[in-house]
Amino acid sequence: MSDVPSTSDAPWPVGQLSTKIKDYIDRLGQVWVDGEIAQWGVSGGNIYGKLKDVSVDATVSFVIWSSVRATLPDGLGQGDRVTALVKANWWVKGGSLTMQVSSMRRVGLGDLLERLERLRAALAAEGLFAVERKKRLPFLPQCIGLITGKDSDAEKDVIRNAQLRWPSVRFRVVHAAVQGDRAVGEITAAIRTLDADSEVDVIIVARGGGDFQNLLVFSDEGLVRAAAACVTPLVSAIGHENDRPLLDEVADLRASTPTDAAKRVVPDVSDELARVQQVRSRMLSRVTSTIATEVDRITAIRSRPALADARWIIDIRADDLTRSVARGVELTSRLLERAHLDVGERLTHLRALSPQRTLDRGYAIAQDAQGAVIRKGRQVAAGDLVVLTLAEGTLSTRAEPDDSRAAPAPPTRT
Amino acid sequence: MKSVTTPVSTDIETLSYEQARDELVSVVTELEQGGATLEQSIALWERGEALARRCEEWLIGAKARLDAARAAATES
């Protein structure tokens, strides 16, 4: 065997090529693979079949020799998810590649669950399920993107319930296989298509339940990542309570059934109208009562005496004035009265001091012509005028000569 | 005591309801306390009256708008 490069002048014989391929392939050795049996046929005691990838489009042929066949679990067949120990084998003579199986076992539910939980934990650690990532659904969607099986109950449920609530709701439906080997690819593509559609403002992925195996599609890492990357809010309505597919975790809203999805995505028109009406009447009554309160307040202020009748402003001053005048009159009259009394008192006093009383008792006051009081006889000469003041009236007389002039003139009685 | 010798003027037109109401309350309080001169008292009272009128206008207007809204709501 030479390692001479092939040229058009010196091509390799087919045998050399085939042998080289075998060399390459043999180097791979034995590997453990995970896949789904896509074809299973028994021929001459041996089993010939095909093993396909569970999510991407990849298939390999395999053969199980009769010697190995006896070690296989019972009832293995098409559709089973298996883990197998294989060795790639290039058949030089026929130019075909076959995986020679030396061990194969069914992947149990336990294994699948364990893998799913590992993936769940990994995606959760990445933060793909975080609440902060959840997008709000539009209040009233313009156009709902719906991914579901063709002619499925899920499709009917979503559309019927949505239209019951809001008759003019629009849908853009993308049919996709929801189970089987095409499901992951079709659903992933549908999510991308609808996400790219600017009219679609919410996407529902709906499937009317199914067993655990069937729902594994909705836990496929690629599909879940596509859903996480989706910008449009996404609702998962897979309808399986117990084994939550990972799509439920990553979706912005998880609906329990397709019907539930329709109800949560589309508001009930009569419900909403009733709510608006209720809020409106509450608002109205609130404003009405506020105004009523203010009206009462202003009325109360208005009726306060200070404002109700301004006459008080004048009245209290007029009263003051009246009172002042009255007081003035009173004070003045009291003053007058006191003055009057005073005068009377003084008059009495005056009278007590006057000689009238003495005159009344019979005494007289003698005065000369000049009005001087005559106290001594020698004050007057004979013939001088003497005026006598009596208790009533006066009397003029002339003095007689008298020897006893030195003697005081006796009081004269009248 | 705050001396409210503000003349009765057109500035009341520019007051909000709450401003007018609050000033009305303070005017009445001041009147009730007494102590103002006759001239001040009369001026205060006139301002109080104007403020009260303004408040009433506000409230009547608000009521009318409310009734109109209510009527429109029942029509629709």
Side-chain angles (χ1 to χ4, degrees):
Chain A
M1 195 182 293
S2 78
D3 277 87
V4 179
S6 63
T7 63
S8 65
D9 294 332
W12 284 353
V14 169
Q16 188 181 345
L17 168 70
S18 196
T19 311
K20 274 190 180 290
I21 291 173
K22 186 170 169 55
D23 282 350
Y24 282 124
I25 286 169
D26 282 348
R27 255 176 262 156
L28 189 60
Q30 282 196 317
V31 286
W32 285 101
V33 293
D34 173 49
E36 191 182 303
I37 296 171
Q39 211 179 77
W40 184 268
V42 183
S43 165
N46 307 318
I47 296 161
Y48 299 90
K50 286 190 171 173
L51 199 57
K52 69 171 284 294
D53 190 277
V54 291
S55 49
V56 304
D57 206 3
T59 311
V60 292
S61 304
F62 67 85
V63 57
I64 303 172
W65 305 122
S66 52
S67 55
V68 177
R69 193 182 165 194
T71 69
L72 296 186
D74 292 336
L76 264 183
Q78 192 177 339
D80 281 348
R81 179 95 180 249
V82 292
T83 299
L85 181 61
V86 301
K87 184 180 180 300
N89 186 32
W90 179 253
W91 187 37
V92 177
K93 208 170 151 189
S96 64
L97 182 71
T98 305
M99 300 298 132
Q100 209 171 300
V101 176
S102 52
S103 168
M104 182 181 272
R105 59 180 172 84
R106 199 181 267 117
V107 176
L109 224 55
D111 294 318
L112 288 175
L113 265 176
E114 198 190 313
R115 274 185 219 168
L116 197 135
E117 290 311 316
R118 263 207 303 274
L119 181 57
R120 189 191 302 274
L123 295 180
E126 263 185 57
L128 251 53
F129 306 157
V131 180
E132 307 86 71
R133 289 192 87 250
K134 307 286 182 209
K135 291 175 281 291
R136 266 180 82 95
L137 264 50
F139 171 69
L140 180 59
Q142 296 303 307
C143 180
I144 300 173
L146 177 60
I147 301 170
T148 183
K150 195 166 168 46
D151 298 327
S152 63
D153 286 343
E155 178 179 358
K156 287 177 207 135
D157 283 352
V158 171
I159 293 178
R160 191 179 58 238
N161 282 292
Q163 284 173 344
L164 271 178
R165 295 163 73 84
W166 200 281
S168 54
V169 71
R170 283 190 299 130
F171 277 98
R172 189 143 305 159
V173 182
V174 176
H175 290 128
V178 291
Q179 66 186 73
D181 50 351
R182 295 189 343 268
V184 168
E186 287 188 17
I187 295 170
T188 308
I191 289 175
R192 296 204 172 112
T193 307
L194 289 175
D195 192 25
D197 190 328
S198 61
E199 279 211 343
V200 172
D201 47 18
V202 60
I203 297 171
I204 300 176
V205 180
R207 187 196 200 286
D211 64 23
F212 173 71
Q213 300 262 12
N214 284 335
L215 295 182
L216 278 176
V217 167
F218 297 98
S219 293
D220 178 85
E221 186 173 351
L223 189 151
V224 170
R225 286 191 184 280
C230 183
V231 178
T232 313
L234 187 134
V235 177
S236 92
I238 311 302
H240 205 276
E241 295 285 343
N242 300 329
D243 323 291
R244 305 188 69 176
L246 297 186
L247 183 65
D248 275 358
E249 311 278 4
V250 84
D252 297 302
L253 181 82
R254 176 183 175 273
S256 58
T257 59
T259 302
D260 182 43
K263 285 182 180 168
R264 297 178 67 170
V265 167
V266 179
D268 187 311
V269 63
S270 57
D271 239 37
E272 291 304 326
L273 280 177
R275 206 168 305 162
V276 168
Q277 195 52 49
Q278 197 189 342
V279 170
R280 191 188 217 176
S281 69
R282 256 170 60 197
M283 186 176 71
L284 207 64
S285 73
R286 185 62 208 267
V287 175
T288 308
S289 84
T290 304
I291 291 181
T293 310
E294 292 302 326
V295 167
D296 288 352
R297 233 162 129 176
I298 296 300
T299 310
I301 295 174
R302 260 237 192 257
S303 64
R304 264 149 85 168
L307 198 65
D309 186 354
R311 273 179 299 184
W312 68 272
I313 296 174
I314 311 298
D315 286 351
I316 53 166
R317 286 176 172 76
D319 287 353
D320 276 354
L321 212 61
T322 313
R323 258 197 306 281
S324 297
V325 168
R327 180 124 184 90
V329 168
E330 192 189 325
L331 283 175
T332 313
S333 62
R334 201 178 301 164
L335 220 67
L336 264 173
E337 199 178 320
R338 194 178 304 152
H340 213 73
L341 273 175
D342 202 40
V343 168
E345 236 168 72
R346 281 175 202 279
L347 202 63
T348 315
H349 200 199
L350 188 70
R351 280 190 185 145
L353 286 178
S354 87
Q356 187 67 37
R357 295 267 177 91
T358 313
L359 295 178
D360 284 346
R361 291 211 307 269
Y363 292 93
I365 299 169
Q367 287 166 293
D368 61 14
Q370 282 71 44
V373 175
I374 302 166
R375 289 195 172 85
K376 295 176 176 138
R378 58 178 182 270
Q379 264 181 270
V380 286
D384 281 355
L385 184 71
V386 172
V387 179
L388 296 175
T389 301
L390 308 173
E392 276 178 41
T394 53
L395 183 70
S396 296
T397 183
R398 298 269 169 195
E400 293 281 333
D402 191 4
D403 291 335
S404 55
R405 266 181 203 268
T412 35
R413 278 204 174 241
T414 41
Chain B
M1 186 172 79
K2 187 186 72 164
S3 174
V4 182
T5 43
T6 331
V8 184
S9 60
T10 49
D11 74 308
I12 286 176
E13 291 301 311
T14 66
L15 294 182
S16 74
Y17 169 76
E18 280 73 16
Q19 287 171 326
R21 183 197 63 200
D22 293 349
E23 195 188 329
L24 174 60
V25 171
S26 74
V27 162
V28 172
T29 309
E30 199 175 338
L31 270 176
E32 282 171 346
Q33 278 170 348
T37 65
L38 173 62
E39 202 179 333
Q40 280 172 340
S41 293
I42 291 292
L44 273 173
W45 176 76
E46 281 172 353
R47 184 152 179 91
E49 270 297 319
L51 286 165
R53 248 194 325 275
R54 178 69 183 145
C55 287
E56 283 167 350
E57 279 167 18
W58 261 106
L59 293 173
I60 289 166
K63 249 180 161 170
R65 278 159 66 180
L66 206 62
D67 290 343
R70 218 192 301 255
T74 47
E75 267 172 33
S76 59

